[in-house]
Amino acid sequence: MDDIDRALIQRLQEDAGQSYAALAASVGLSAGATHERVRKLRERGVIRRTTVEVDPAAVGSGVLAYVMVDSTAWMGDSRAAFEGIAEIQEAHIIAGSASVMVKIRTGTTEQLQDVLRRLYAIDGVSGTQATVVLETFFERPLPL
């Protein structure tokens, strides 16, 4: 990966919907060469997907919580159970006092409480520690 690839990725992280012509102009290549580079970045798995950033509050999911999940067993085989809870945006096996950390978005704290109940239904889960976000200062794209 060279400096042009890094610049392309950075620009795509800022706005993945821009045209190849605009993207090409920003890095000094032709649209065709830019398209080919982006295609190769996708093939190599550097670019995993193209998506749209949605304002969670605007679609009724303004409550954000990070939850540490305690367990009595290894949780590495429980991916499907966590994926089955739609409100979980991310789930990570972690080292430390907890086994899993999840990022949850809901519309209300009552809905968050319901998600916590469903977490307890996963085999091996013995407890949770939730931290509710009051305000997000910023979120950054991946630095390159």
Side-chain angles (χ1 to χ4, degrees):
M1 198 161 82
D2 62 15
D3 288 341
I4 292 176
D5 288 338
R6 285 183 186 83
L8 286 169
I9 293 167
Q10 183 176 357
R11 305 256 178 342
L12 286 168
Q13 285 184 114
E14 293 166 2
D15 179 8
Q18 64 188 298
S19 69
Y20 281 110
L23 190 57
S26 72
V27 297
L29 294 176
S30 70
T34 299
H35 185 270
E36 184 64 16
R37 278 186 177 251
V38 171
R39 184 186 65 74
K40 287 180 180 178
L41 289 167
R42 287 181 197 281
E43 283 179 358
R44 292 191 345 243
V46 175
I47 297 174
R48 295 190 299 196
R49 64 187 175 122
T50 304
T51 186
V52 179
E53 185 176 343
V54 175
D55 179 357
V59 295
S61 293
V63 176
L64 169 61
Y66 291 91
V67 179
M68 305 296 271
V69 179
D70 300 320
S71 68
T72 58
W74 169 248
M75 299 302 292
D77 298 326
S78 57
R79 175 186 188 132
F82 286 96
E83 283 181 335
I85 300 174
E87 295 87 350
I88 296 178
Q89 288 193 306
E90 298 177 14
H92 308 274
I93 297 290
I94 60 170
S97 60
S99 298
V100 179
M101 181 176 70
V102 295
K103 177 181 176 182
I104 298 171
R105 285 204 182 267
T106 63
T108 66
T109 55
E110 290 81 9
Q111 291 169 339
L112 175 59
Q113 187 175 10
D114 178 61
V115 173
L116 295 174
R117 279 190 204 100
R118 286 184 273 151
L119 280 172
Y120 273 98
I122 296 173
D123 284 341
V125 171
S126 62
T128 62
Q129 300 167 16
T131 301
V132 177
V133 175
L134 299 177
E135 177 182 356
T136 299
F137 285 145
F138 61 86
E139 294 176 322
R140 291 188 177 137
L142 185 65
L144 299 174

